[in-house]
Amino acid sequence: QKRTTTGRQMRQSDVGEQWTCTACTFLNTPPALACIMCGKEFIGDSLEIAIELQKKEQINHIKETEVARSIQDFGFNIYGNDTK
């Protein structure tokens, strides 16, 4: 079965079965949590999605802080839109 994860393909059967490394395509067997051939960690869909979401939230927080500071310091939004 194939699952699409952020920009790549990962084949994974039910838990406890073999999984294909997304970096080198080696077929690994449990309990390996990293590829035996190249060392890339196995990251399931849920964890990968959570990591991407956390990155987006951090970026949004930084942008909000930059906008607030630019309005305070310079009187305008550095991103050029009216949204604060």
Side-chain angles (χ1 to χ4, degrees), residues 55-73:
K55 287 179 185 177
K56 287 179 183 178
E57 288 174 355
Q58 289 173 342
I59 290 169
N60 286 337
H61 176 71
I62 290 169
K63 282 183 178 180
E64 289 172 3
T65 303
E66 289 175 340
V67 167
R69 177 169 254 161
S70 72
I71 291 171
Q72 177 183 351
D73 293 349

Side-chain angles (χ1 to χ4, degrees), residues 24-53:
C24 73
T25 69
F26 182 77
L27 188 60
N28 292 276
T29 56
L33 297 177
C35 179
I36 296 168
M37 294 300 280
C38 72
K40 178 162 176 64
E41 290 183 12
F42 172 69
I43 299 178
D45 290 345
S46 298
L47 179 57
E48 192 164 315
I49 290 168
I51 290 169
E52 289 301 315
L53 184 60

Side-chain angles (χ1 to χ4, degrees), residues 11-27:
R11 283 177 278 165
Q12 175 189 10
S13 299
D14 295 330
V15 175
E17 295 185 22
Q18 297 176 326
W19 57 274
T20 303
C21 177
T22 58
C24 73
T25 69
F26 182 77
L27 188 60

